[in-house]
């Protein structure tokens, strides 16, 4: 064992008088220091995620109430500025929202229950048509195999038709959890609307006084981002649902209104949600009305998505809320893995709020962040997916050491940082090759070699 290793094992200074920390390579020591800090952060994040998942009966209603507060708080604030007491404003906003939601949901459920038998009949007809085409068409497949497969699909639809219409609502556990979550969401939402600022001020009292005001400002800016996200998403979802639903109704596709409701909900999951909801509409149109109708529905869906992505979102969301597409997809995937559908719905607003809050904490002043969020072209997001600008072809090349023969060798990873080396000694760095390489003075090592 070496002297340094022995000193390190005993915890005492070695005989050379160096401290024990110098016995470890600096890279290893720094890596170890970063590793245990990152492990602690990861453990804390995992602990919070585990608790949130275990307490999903509380965390999901809390998150939905926060989204509801972001949607209704501007209306309550407006009524208060007009002289309406805040308690009455909260009551009016809640009752109006609940009445509208209950009316829409009742109509959607009624249309769904009425339309399922028609969908079932048309779906069975389509299955029989596909059977005949596979048997009598150009493929000439086996009659017995096709008939058995088709009969199995039809029997499955007939046996599960009642389950589709009423079976999902007969489980006492599901009804109990739904009612519990609904009442808890309303209870939290009332207090968020009535005294949300006081609640946030009370929570932030645990922050040291030196940083307390900065944290409170970050929370307010984050909630402002959430407000913009929810308001714009509701408007975009309404346009998507009306456009696609109207197209389905004109084409006489079954379950047009329930499918429009699915599109409205799917719009709250950017990129992925609209695609899935549109795919369901195209599939139902294909199975009930044929290929031509399905292609028309596909065209309507693509046109609505283009309108959403290039007109509505830049106009309504603005710079602060629009996030890089990679962050959106990763956030949705992680949310679905951790908390299912609810996690997918809540992932993007969570990332949007976190993005604004962290930027506020890192900014030198709130005014600096405000100018960054609210100035510039609203059609340009803060973090957009843009191609690299004229990349240097040599940026991935490994620098070649200078040859001992005095040959000029080009090294460096970028054009701006290229240097020409002669006899192991850097020469002129002006970006051009030296005119006279022999004029470069020899290095000390070379002189020593000549003397030897």
């Amino acid at each position: 064992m070496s002297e340094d290793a022995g000193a390190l094992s005993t915890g005492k200074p070695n005989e050379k008088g160096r401290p024990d920390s110098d016995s470890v390579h600096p890279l290893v020591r720094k890596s170890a220091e970063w590793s245990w800090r990152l492990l602690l952060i990861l453990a804390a994040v995992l602990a919070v995620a585990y608790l949130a998942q275990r307490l999903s009966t509380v965390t999901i209603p809390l998150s939905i109430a926060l989204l509801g507060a972001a949607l209704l708080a501007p209306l309550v604030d407006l009524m208060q500025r007009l002289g309406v007491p805040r308690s009455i404003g909260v009551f009016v906003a809640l009752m109006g929202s609940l009445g509208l939601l209950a009316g829409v949901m009742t109509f959607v459920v009624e249309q769904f229950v009425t339309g399922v038998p028609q969908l079932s009949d048309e779906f069975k007809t389509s299955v029989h048509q596909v059977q005949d085409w596979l048997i009598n068409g150009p493929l000439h497949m086996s009659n017995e195999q096709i008939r058995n497969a088709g009969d199995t699909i039809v029997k499955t639809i007939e046996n599960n038709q009642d389950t589709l219409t009423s079976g999902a609502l007969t489980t006492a556990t599901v009804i109990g959890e739904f009612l519990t979550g609904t009442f808890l969401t309303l209870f939290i939402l009332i207090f968020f609307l009535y005294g949300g600022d006081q609640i946030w001020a009370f929570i932030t009292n645990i922050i040291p006084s030196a940083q307390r005001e900065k944290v409170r400002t970050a929370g307010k800016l984050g909630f402002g981002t959430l407000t913009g996200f929810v308001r714009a998403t509701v408007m975009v979802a309404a346009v998507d649902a009306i456009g696609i639903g109207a197209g389905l109704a004109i084409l006489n596709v079954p379950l047009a209104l329930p499918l429009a409701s699915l599109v409205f909900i799917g719009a709250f999951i950017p990129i992925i949600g609209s695609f899935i909801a549109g795919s369901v509409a195209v599939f139902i149109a294909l199975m009930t009305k044929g290929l031509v109708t399905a292609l028309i529905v596909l065209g309507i869906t693509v046109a609505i998505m283009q309108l959403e992505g290039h007109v509505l979102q830049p106009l309504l969301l603005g710079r602060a809320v629009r996030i890089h597409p990679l962050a959106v997809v990763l956030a949705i995937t992680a949310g679905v893995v951790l908390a299912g559908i609810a996690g997918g719905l809540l992932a993007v607003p969570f990332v949007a709020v976190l993005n604004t809050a962290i930027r506020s904490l890192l900014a030198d002043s709130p005014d600096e962040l405000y100018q960054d969020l609210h100035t510039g072209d609203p059609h340009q997001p803060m973090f957009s997916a843009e191609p690299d600008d004229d990349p240097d072809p040599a940026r991935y090349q490994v620098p070649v050491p200078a040859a001992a023969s005095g040959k000029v060798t080009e090294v460096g990873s970028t054009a701006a940082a290229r240097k020409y080396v002669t006899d192991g000694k850097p020469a002129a760095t002006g970006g051009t090759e030296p005119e006279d390489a022999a004029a470069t003075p020899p290095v000390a090592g070379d002189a020593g070699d000549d003397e030897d």
Side-chain angles (χ1 to χ4, degrees):
M1 179 181 297
S2 64
E3 296 178 357
D4 291 347
L8 182 61
S9 62
T10 57
K12 299 178 181 179
N14 53 40
E15 295 179 358
K16 296 180 180 180
R18 294 185 300 175
D20 291 342
S21 59
D22 292 345
S23 302
V24 183
H25 194 280
L27 180 61
V28 176
R29 184 171 64 253
K30 292 180 179 179
S31 300
E33 293 173 353
W34 274 103
S35 297
W36 70 260
R37 288 180 173 88
L38 292 176
L39 287 175
L40 285 178
I41 295 174
L42 179 62
V45 171
L46 291 178
V48 172
Y50 175 78
L51 290 176
Q53 186 177 17
R54 294 288 296 176
L55 299 175
S56 59
T57 307
V58 176
T59 55
I60 292 179
L62 179 65
S63 303
I64 295 176
L66 192 60
L67 293 177
L71 179 63
L72 298 178
L75 177 60
V76 176
D77 294 341
L78 176 62
M79 288 189 288
Q80 187 177 14
R81 288 195 298 269
L82 295 177
V84 179
R86 192 167 186 85
S87 57
I88 298 178
V90 171
F91 178 80
V92 171
L94 282 178
M95 290 299 101
S97 302
L98 291 177
L100 179 62
L101 180 63
V104 172
M105 289 301 298
T106 301
F107 188 57
V108 168
V109 171
E110 180 182 354
Q111 292 293 317
F112 179 77
V113 174
T114 304
V116 164
Q118 178 188 358
L119 176 63
S120 177
D121 294 337
E122 295 187 2
F123 193 84
K124 288 186 289 185
T125 302
S126 299
V127 171
H128 290 307
Q129 291 176 353
V130 173
Q131 282 180 319
D132 294 336
W133 184 83
L134 292 175
I135 296 172
N136 302 320
L139 298 179
H140 296 290
M141 299 184 68
S142 172
N143 186 10
E144 182 178 358
Q145 294 178 351
I146 298 302
R147 295 295 181 189
N148 291 335
D151 293 340
T152 302
I153 295 175
V154 172
K155 289 180 180 178
T156 302
I157 296 173
E158 292 176 347
N159 294 333
N160 292 277
Q161 180 173 331
D162 295 336
T163 303
L164 291 174
T165 56
S166 60
L169 300 177
T170 58
T171 305
T173 304
V174 174
I175 296 176
E177 291 181 355
F178 176 78
L179 293 178
T180 301
T182 301
F183 284 117
L184 184 59
T185 301
L186 289 176
F187 186 77
I188 298 173
L189 180 57
I190 291 174
F191 285 97
F192 278 176
L193 292 175
Y194 185 73
D197 291 340
Q198 299 177 17
I199 295 174
W200 177 240
F202 175 79
I203 293 174
T204 53
N205 282 333
I206 62 174
I207 306 298
S209 57
Q211 303 296 329
R212 186 178 302 162
E213 193 61 34
K214 197 169 187 178
V215 172
R216 288 178 177 175
T217 302
K220 293 177 181 178
L221 291 176
F223 185 77
T225 297
L226 183 62
T227 300
F229 174 85
V230 174
R231 181 176 62 248
T233 303
V234 169
M235 297 177 67
V236 170
V239 172
D240 291 352
I242 293 173
I244 296 178
L248 295 175
I250 293 173
L251 296 172
N252 199 24
V253 176
L255 302 179
L257 186 59
L259 288 175
S261 303
L262 180 63
V263 171
F264 181 84
I265 297 174
F268 283 86
I269 306 178
I271 301 176
I272 300 177
S274 300
F275 174 78
I276 295 176
S279 300
V280 173
V282 172
F283 175 75
I284 292 180
L286 175 64
M287 296 305 297
T288 57
K289 295 298 179 181
L291 180 61
V292 176
T293 304
L295 291 177
I296 296 175
V297 173
L298 178 61
I300 294 174
T301 303
V302 172
I304 293 296
M305 289 183 178
Q306 292 298 316
L307 176 66
E308 170 191 339
H310 293 86
V311 178
L312 296 179
Q313 286 187 355
L315 181 64
L316 299 176
L317 290 180
R319 285 167 50 85
V321 183
R322 298 171 66 196
I323 310 171
H324 195 285
L326 179 61
V328 171
V329 174
L330 293 179
I332 293 173
T333 304
V336 171
V337 171
L338 293 175
I341 297 177
L345 288 170
L346 300 173
V348 177
F350 175 78
V351 171
V353 172
L354 198 63
N355 172 49
T356 303
I358 292 177
R359 289 176 59 84
S360 175
L361 292 175
L362 297 179
D364 294 334
S365 65
D367 294 337
E368 175 185 344
L369 178 63
Y370 183 85
Q371 292 295 329
D372 194 13
L373 294 177
H374 296 277
T375 58
D377 187 1
H379 290 76
Q380 296 295 329
M382 297 184 65
F383 304 102
S384 60
E386 299 291 343
D388 295 334
D389 295 331
D390 192 16
D392 181 14
R395 65 190 185 279
Y396 299 128
Q397 294 180 2
V398 178
V400 181
S405 61
K407 181 180 179 180
V408 177
T409 305
E410 182 178 340
V411 298
S413 59
T414 61
R418 290 173 180 169
K419 295 182 180 180
Y420 293 90
V421 180
T422 305
D423 294 333
K425 182 73 175 181
T429 60
T432 59
E433 185 176 355
E435 296 180 357
D436 187 7
T440 305
V443 296
D446 294 339
D449 293 340
D450 293 341
E451 291 178 0
D452 293 339

